[in-house]
Coordinates of all heavy atoms in Angstrom, one line a residue:
G175 N -9.6 -4.6 -1.0 CA -8.1 -4.9 -1.1 C -7.5 -5.2 0.3 O -8.3 -5.3 1.4
G176 N -6.2 -5.0 0.4 CA -5.5 -5.1 1.7 C -6.0 -4.0 2.6 O -6.1 -2.8 2.2
D177 N -6.1 -4.2 3.9 CA -6.5 -3.0 4.8 C -5.3 -2.1 4.8 O -4.2 -2.4 4.3 CB -6.9 -3.5 6.2 CG -5.7 -4.0 7.0 OD1 -4.8 -4.5 6.4 OD2 -5.8 -3.9 8.3
R238 N -10.3 -9.4 -1.0 CA -9.7 -9.3 -2.4 C -10.6 -9.9 -3.4 O -10.2 -10.4 -4.4 CB -8.4 -9.9 -2.4 CG -7.3 -9.2 -1.5 CD -5.9 -9.5 -1.9 NE -4.8 -9.0 -1.0 CZ -4.4 -7.8 -1.1 NH1 -4.8 -7.0 -1.9 NH2 -3.6 -7.3 -0.2
D270 N -6.8 -2.6 -7.7 CA -7.7 -3.7 -8.0 C -9.2 -3.2 -7.7 O -10.1 -3.3 -8.6 CB -7.5 -4.9 -7.2 CG -6.1 -5.4 -7.4 OD1 -5.6 -5.2 -8.5 OD2 -5.5 -6.0 -6.5
K290 N -6.2 4.2 -1.9 CA -5.6 3.6 -0.6 C -4.6 2.6 -1.0 O -4.8 1.7 -1.9 CB -6.8 2.9 0.0 CG -6.3 1.9 1.1 CD -6.7 0.5 0.9 CE -6.0 -0.2 -0.3 NZ -6.0 -1.7 -0.2
T291 N -3.5 2.7 -0.4 CA -2.5 1.6 -0.4 C -1.2 2.0 0.3 O -0.7 3.1 0.0 CB -2.1 1.0 -1.8 OG1 -1.1 0.1 -1.6 CG2 -1.8 2.0 -2.8
I292 N -0.7 1.1 1.1 CA 0.6 1.4 1.8 C 1.6 1.3 0.7 O 2.7 1.9 0.9 CB 0.9 0.3 2.9 CG1 1.1 -1.1 2.3 CG2 -0.1 0.4 3.9 CD1 1.8 -2.0 3.3
D293 N 1.4 0.7 -0.5 CA 2.5 0.5 -1.5 C 2.8 1.9 -2.3 O 3.9 1.9 -2.9 CB 2.0 -0.5 -2.5 CG 1.7 -1.9 -1.9 OD1 2.1 -2.1 -0.8 OD2 0.9 -2.6 -2.5
D295 N 1.6 3.0 -5.0 CA 1.9 2.6 -6.4 C 0.8 3.1 -7.4 O 0.8 2.6 -8.5 CB 2.2 1.1 -6.5 CG 1.0 0.2 -6.1 OD1 0.0 0.8 -5.6 OD2 1.1 -1.0 -6.3
V334 N 10.5 -5.5 3.4 CA 9.3 -4.7 3.6 C 8.3 -5.0 2.4 O 8.7 -5.6 1.4 CB 9.7 -3.2 3.6 CG1 10.7 -2.9 4.8 CG2 10.4 -2.7 2.3
M335 N 7.1 -4.6 2.6 CA 6.1 -4.8 1.5 C 6.3 -3.7 0.5 O 7.2 -3.0 0.4 CB 4.7 -4.7 2.2 CG 4.3 -5.9 3.0 SD 2.6 -5.8 3.6 CE 2.2 -7.4 4.0
G336 N 5.2 -3.7 -0.5 CA 5.2 -2.7 -1.5 C 4.9 -3.4 -2.8 O 4.9 -2.7 -3.8
R337 N 4.6 -4.7 -2.8 CA 4.3 -5.5 -4.1 C 5.3 -5.0 -5.2 O 6.4 -5.3 -5.0 CB 2.9 -5.0 -4.4 CG 2.3 -6.0 -5.4 CD 0.8 -5.8 -5.4 NE 0.2 -6.8 -4.7 CZ -1.2 -6.9 -4.4 NH1 -1.9 -5.8 -4.8 NH2 -1.6 -7.9 -3.7
N338 N 4.9 -4.5 -6.3 CA 5.9 -4.4 -7.4 C 6.5 -3.0 -7.5 O 7.1 -2.6 -8.5 CB 5.2 -4.8 -8.8 CG 4.8 -6.2 -8.8 OD1 5.6 -7.1 -8.3 ND2 3.6 -6.5 -9.2
I342 N 8.1 1.9 -0.3 CA 8.4 1.7 1.1 C 9.8 1.4 1.4 O 10.5 2.0 2.3 CB 7.5 0.5 1.7 CG1 6.0 0.8 1.6 CG2 7.8 0.3 3.2 CD1 5.1 -0.3 1.9
E388 N 9.7 -6.7 -0.9 CA 9.2 -8.1 -1.1 C 9.2 -8.4 -2.6 O 9.3 -9.6 -3.0 CB 7.8 -8.3 -0.6 CG 6.8 -7.3 -1.2 CD 5.4 -7.5 -0.6 OE1 5.1 -8.3 0.3 OE2 4.5 -6.8 -1.1
D405 N -3.7 -14.2 -6.6 CA -5.1 -14.0 -6.1 C -6.0 -13.8 -7.3 O -5.6 -13.9 -8.5 CB -5.0 -12.8 -5.1 CG -4.7 -11.5 -5.7 OD1 -4.7 -11.4 -7.0 OD2 -4.4 -10.6 -5.0
E410 N 0.7 -12.0 -7.6 CA 1.5 -13.0 -6.9 C 1.5 -12.7 -5.4 O 1.5 -11.6 -5.0 CB 3.0 -12.8 -7.3 CG 3.5 -13.8 -8.3 CD 5.0 -13.6 -8.4 OE1 5.4 -12.6 -9.1 OE2 5.8 -14.3 -7.9
R411 N 1.4 -13.8 -4.6 CA 1.6 -13.6 -3.1 C 3.1 -13.4 -2.9 O 3.8 -14.5 -3.1 CB 1.0 -14.8 -2.4 CG 1.1 -14.5 -0.9 CD 0.3 -15.4 -0.1 NE -1.2 -15.2 -0.3 CZ -2.1 -16.0 -0.2 NH1 -1.9 -17.2 0.0 NH2 -3.4 -15.7 -0.5
L412 N 3.6 -12.3 -2.6 CA 5.0 -12.1 -2.5 C 5.5 -12.4 -1.0 O 4.7 -12.4 -0.1 CB 5.3 -10.6 -2.9 CG 5.0 -10.4 -4.3 CD1 5.1 -8.9 -4.6 CD2 6.0 -11.1 -5.3
G413 N 6.7 -12.3 -0.9 CA 7.3 -12.4 0.5 C 8.3 -13.6 0.6 O 8.0 -14.7 0.0
G437 N 6.3 -7.8 7.2 CA 5.1 -8.3 6.9 C 3.9 -7.4 7.3 O 4.0 -6.1 7.2
H438 N 2.8 -8.0 7.9 CA 1.5 -7.2 8.0 C 1.6 -6.2 9.2 O 0.7 -5.4 9.3 CB 0.4 -8.2 8.2 CG 0.0 -8.9 6.9 ND1 0.9 -10.0 6.6 CD2 -0.8 -8.7 6.0 CE1 0.4 -10.5 5.4 NE2 -0.6 -9.7 5.0
Q440 N 3.3 -3.7 9.1 CA 3.4 -2.4 8.4 C 1.9 -2.0 8.0 O 1.8 -0.7 7.7 CB 4.1 -2.6 7.0 CG 5.5 -2.8 7.3 CD 6.1 -3.6 5.9 OE1 6.8 -2.8 5.2 NE2 6.0 -5.0 5.9
R441 N 1.0 -2.8 8.1 CA -0.4 -2.3 7.7 C -1.3 -2.2 8.9 O -2.4 -1.7 8.8 CB -0.9 -3.4 6.8 CG -0.6 -3.3 5.4 CD -1.4 -4.0 4.4 NE -2.4 -5.0 4.8 CZ -2.7 -6.1 4.2 NH1 -2.0 -6.4 3.1 NH2 -3.7 -6.9 4.5
Ligands
F6P619 O1 -1.0 -4.1 -1.3 C1 -0.7 -4.0 0.0 C2 -0.1 -5.2 0.4 O2 0.2 -5.1 1.8 C3 1.2 -5.5 -0.4 O3 2.3 -4.7 0.0 C4 1.4 -7.0 0.0 O4 2.1 -7.7 -1.1 C5 0.1 -7.5 0.0 O5 -0.7 -6.4 0.3 C6 -0.2 -8.6 1.0 O6 -1.5 -9.0 0.9 P1 -2.3 -10.0 1.9 O7 -2.7 -9.2 3.0 O8 -3.4 -10.6 1.1 O9 -1.3 -11.0 2.3

Side-chain angles (χ1 to χ4, degrees):
D177 73 330
R238 293 199 185 276
D270 301 332
K290 163 244 65 157
T291 168
I292 64 164
D293 303 337
D295 58 356
V334 299
M335 281 185 167
R337 199 161 258 168
N338 298 313
I342 299 176
E388 61 179 359
D405 66 17
E410 257 186 284
R411 181 164 297 148
L412 297 168
H438 293 81
Q440 294 159 97
R441 273 187 6 207

